[in-house]
Amino acid sequence: MELRDIAWAKLNLTLEILGRRADGFHELRSLVAFAGVGDTVAFAPKTEPKLKIVPPGADASPRRAFALDAAGPFATALGEGNLILDAAEAARARVPALAEGRFRLVKTLPVAAGLGGGSADAAAALRLLVRASGGAFSMRDAEAIAPDLGSDIAVCLRSAPALMMGRGEVVAPVAGFPQCGVVLANPHVELATSAVYGALNASPLEGVREAAPQPDFGGSFEALIAYASMRNNDLERVAIDLAPEIDAVLERLRGLDGERLVRLSGSGATCFAVFEKPREALRAAILLAEQEPNWWVIAGTLGDPSAG
């Protein structure tokens, strides 16, 4: 039986870079939410016996425990390496009895787009392995291996509004996040996270990280906007320097009727506009897609996708 999950698109409503750490990573603080749109990841456990007799002269190379098929509008943009298989192999290294199988990815999110797509795919794969393992591999196991796989995977595992800190591995839930609308737009520009951070030239981190106050929005959209408006995405200026098309996307989003917050997500090049009501976002996305047919444009509902 094939199991399915959604790899939800991650948005950084704020992204503060506190400094460059001694280990080369950047210390950050980011308010994260998930947009209610994403890739689809499926997993089918193998049913054939694990041990096979190899005839003389046949290829006796080790059989891979996991395989991956990819389809969808952005499947051709995927590189040879894939975090889904990396995550599955790491899970099996932790629990050797883990069921083998084949993953199927329908890639509908742009690649290298600041949406945590690869991390979200890997997180969905880990959730599927938890479901397929019959209790042998738990969410606690998944959370234990997540930081070594990628900085965004820990927050993508839960796919709920959170404050992300450290290099991304410290995740604190956020209370009272209001449901609201969002429009995502990408001019079909790929922007590698490593290139943006490499050009950032952040100052070395000094002192001890202060504990960040945990926001509680109490379900108030205005409280969310006030919090986010007081903070920036510190990667935005660097990303625009590397991909000037981003500036045009931000300007177009600022012109949408009803938008309350416009930002670059993560390291880009996807930008977003937040609306109080999902229906406002849907109307704005339809209009923007008509006006910019060469962009990737989609509307979503910002918050906790699992709550809907």
Short mmCIF file of all heavy atoms in Angstrom, two decimals, residues 120-147:
data_model
loop_
_atom_site.label_atom_id
_atom_site.label_comp_id
_atom_site.label_asym_id
_atom_site.label_seq_id
_atom_site.Cartn_x
_atom_site.Cartn_y
_atom_site.Cartn_z
N ALA A 120 11.51 20.23 2.92
CA ALA A 120 10.14 19.80 3.15
C ALA A 120 9.91 18.42 2.56
O ALA A 120 9.21 17.58 3.15
CB ALA A 120 9.17 20.81 2.54
N ASP A 121 10.50 18.14 1.38
CA ASP A 121 10.38 16.81 0.78
C ASP A 121 11.00 15.76 1.70
O ASP A 121 10.43 14.68 1.91
CB ASP A 121 11.07 16.77 -0.58
CG ASP A 121 10.39 17.65 -1.63
OD1 ASP A 121 9.22 18.02 -1.43
OD2 ASP A 121 11.05 17.97 -2.64
N ALA A 122 12.20 16.06 2.21
CA ALA A 122 12.87 15.12 3.11
C ALA A 122 12.09 14.91 4.39
O ALA A 122 11.98 13.78 4.89
CB ALA A 122 14.28 15.62 3.42
N ALA A 123 11.52 15.99 4.91
CA ALA A 123 10.71 15.88 6.13
C ALA A 123 9.48 15.02 5.89
O ALA A 123 9.10 14.19 6.74
CB ALA A 123 10.31 17.27 6.62
N ALA A 124 8.83 15.19 4.74
CA ALA A 124 7.68 14.36 4.41
C ALA A 124 8.08 12.90 4.29
O ALA A 124 7.34 11.99 4.73
CB ALA A 124 7.04 14.84 3.11
N ALA A 125 9.26 12.64 3.71
CA ALA A 125 9.75 11.27 3.61
C ALA A 125 9.95 10.66 4.99
O ALA A 125 9.60 9.49 5.22
CB ALA A 125 11.05 11.24 2.81
N LEU A 126 10.49 11.43 5.91
CA LEU A 126 10.68 10.92 7.27
C LEU A 126 9.35 10.63 7.94
O LEU A 126 9.19 9.62 8.64
CB LEU A 126 11.50 11.92 8.09
CG LEU A 126 12.97 12.08 7.70
CD1 LEU A 126 13.63 13.19 8.52
CD2 LEU A 126 13.73 10.77 7.88
N ARG A 127 8.36 11.50 7.74
CA ARG A 127 7.04 11.25 8.32
C ARG A 127 6.42 9.97 7.74
O ARG A 127 5.77 9.20 8.45
CB ARG A 127 6.11 12.45 8.08
CG ARG A 127 6.50 13.71 8.84
CD ARG A 127 5.38 14.74 8.83
NE ARG A 127 5.05 15.21 7.50
CZ ARG A 127 5.59 16.27 6.90
NH1 ARG A 127 6.52 16.98 7.54
NH2 ARG A 127 5.21 16.65 5.69
N LEU A 128 6.64 9.74 6.45
CA LEU A 128 6.13 8.53 5.84
C LEU A 128 6.80 7.29 6.42
O LEU A 128 6.15 6.26 6.63
CB LEU A 128 6.33 8.58 4.33
CG LEU A 128 5.43 9.56 3.57
CD1 LEU A 128 5.91 9.74 2.14
CD2 LEU A 128 3.98 9.09 3.59
N LEU A 129 8.10 7.37 6.67
CA LEU A 129 8.81 6.23 7.25
C LEU A 129 8.35 5.97 8.68
O LEU A 129 8.30 4.81 9.11
CB LEU A 129 10.32 6.48 7.21
CG LEU A 129 10.93 6.46 5.80
CD1 LEU A 129 12.39 6.86 5.84
CD2 LEU A 129 10.78 5.08 5.16
N VAL A 130 8.00 7.03 9.41
CA VAL A 130 7.43 6.84 10.75
C VAL A 130 6.14 6.03 10.64
O VAL A 130 5.91 5.08 11.39
CB VAL A 130 7.18 8.20 11.43
CG1 VAL A 130 6.35 8.02 12.70
CG2 VAL A 130 8.50 8.89 11.76
N ARG A 131 5.29 6.40 9.69
CA ARG A 131 4.01 5.70 9.52
C ARG A 131 4.20 4.27 9.04
O ARG A 131 3.44 3.37 9.43
CB ARG A 131 3.14 6.47 8.52
CG ARG A 131 2.64 7.81 9.05
CD ARG A 131 2.09 8.68 7.93
NE ARG A 131 1.01 8.03 7.19
CZ ARG A 131 0.51 8.51 6.05
NH1 ARG A 131 1.00 9.63 5.53
NH2 ARG A 131 -0.47 7.86 5.44
N ALA A 132 5.22 4.05 8.20
CA ALA A 132 5.42 2.72 7.62
C ALA A 132 6.15 1.77 8.55
O ALA A 132 6.15 0.56 8.31
CB ALA A 132 6.18 2.84 6.30
N SER A 133 6.77 2.29 9.59
CA SER A 133 7.68 1.47 10.40
C SER A 133 6.98 0.67 11.49
O SER A 133 7.61 -0.16 12.14
CB SER A 133 8.74 2.36 11.06
OG SER A 133 8.17 3.16 12.09
N GLY A 134 5.71 0.95 11.73
CA GLY A 134 5.00 0.23 12.79
C GLY A 134 5.55 0.51 14.18
O GLY A 134 5.50 -0.36 15.06
N GLY A 135 6.10 1.70 14.37
CA GLY A 135 6.61 2.09 15.68
C GLY A 135 8.10 1.92 15.84
O GLY A 135 8.68 2.39 16.83
N ALA A 136 8.76 1.27 14.89
CA ALA A 136 10.22 1.07 15.01
C ALA A 136 10.99 2.37 14.83
O ALA A 136 12.04 2.56 15.44
CB ALA A 136 10.68 0.03 13.98
N PHE A 137 10.48 3.26 13.99
CA PHE A 137 11.10 4.56 13.72
C PHE A 137 10.09 5.62 14.10
O PHE A 137 8.99 5.68 13.53
CB PHE A 137 11.48 4.65 12.24
CG PHE A 137 12.15 5.95 11.85
CD1 PHE A 137 13.45 6.24 12.26
CD2 PHE A 137 11.49 6.88 11.06
CE1 PHE A 137 14.06 7.43 11.89
CE2 PHE A 137 12.09 8.07 10.69
CZ PHE A 137 13.38 8.33 11.12
N SER A 138 10.41 6.45 15.07
CA SER A 138 9.46 7.40 15.64
C SER A 138 9.76 8.83 15.20
O SER A 138 10.82 9.11 14.62
CB SER A 138 9.52 7.34 17.17
OG SER A 138 10.78 7.80 17.63
N MET A 139 8.85 9.75 15.50
CA MET A 139 9.11 11.16 15.24
C MET A 139 10.31 11.64 16.05
O MET A 139 11.06 12.51 15.59
CB MET A 139 7.88 12.00 15.57
CG MET A 139 6.84 12.03 14.46
SD MET A 139 7.45 12.84 12.94
CE MET A 139 7.51 14.55 13.47
N ARG A 140 10.50 11.09 17.23
CA ARG A 140 11.69 11.45 18.01
C ARG A 140 12.96 11.04 17.27
O ARG A 140 13.95 11.77 17.27
CB ARG A 140 11.62 10.79 19.38
CG ARG A 140 12.78 11.16 20.29
CD ARG A 140 12.56 10.68 21.71
NE ARG A 140 11.45 11.39 22.34
CZ ARG A 140 11.07 11.21 23.59
NH1 ARG A 140 11.71 10.33 24.36
NH2 ARG A 140 10.07 11.91 24.09
N ASP A 141 12.94 9.87 16.63
CA ASP A 141 14.09 9.45 15.81
C ASP A 141 14.29 10.42 14.65
O ASP A 141 15.42 10.82 14.34
CB ASP A 141 13.86 8.04 15.25
CG ASP A 141 13.92 6.97 16.32
OD1 ASP A 141 14.80 7.05 17.19
OD2 ASP A 141 13.07 6.06 16.29
N ALA A 142 13.18 10.80 14.00
CA ALA A 142 13.27 11.72 12.87
C ALA A 142 13.85 13.06 13.30
O ALA A 142 14.70 13.64 12.62
CB ALA A 142 11.90 11.91 12.24
N GLU A 143 13.40 13.56 14.44
CA GLU A 143 13.91 14.84 14.95
C GLU A 143 15.38 14.74 15.32
O GLU A 143 16.12 15.73 15.20
CB GLU A 143 13.08 15.27 16.15
CG GLU A 143 11.66 15.70 15.77
CD GLU A 143 10.75 15.84 16.96
OE1 GLU A 143 11.13 15.37 18.06
OE2 GLU A 143 9.64 16.41 16.80
N ALA A 144 15.84 13.57 15.74
CA ALA A 144 17.24 13.41 16.13
C ALA A 144 18.17 13.48 14.93
O ALA A 144 19.29 14.00 15.04
CB ALA A 144 17.42 12.08 16.87
N ILE A 145 17.74 12.97 13.78
CA ILE A 145 18.63 12.97 12.62
C ILE A 145 18.44 14.20 11.73
O ILE A 145 19.28 14.48 10.87
CB ILE A 145 18.44 11.69 11.77
CG1 ILE A 145 17.03 11.65 11.16
CG2 ILE A 145 18.71 10.44 12.60
CD1 ILE A 145 16.82 10.47 10.23
N ALA A 146 17.38 14.96 11.95
CA ALA A 146 17.07 16.10 11.09
C ALA A 146 18.18 17.14 11.00
O ALA A 146 18.53 17.59 9.89
CB ALA A 146 15.76 16.75 11.52
N PRO A 147 18.79 17.59 12.13
CA PRO A 147 19.78 18.66 12.03
C PRO A 147 20.99 18.31 11.16
O PRO A 147 21.56 19.19 10.51
CB PRO A 147 20.21 18.88 13.49
CG PRO A 147 19.03 18.42 14.29
CD PRO A 147 18.49 17.25 13.54
#
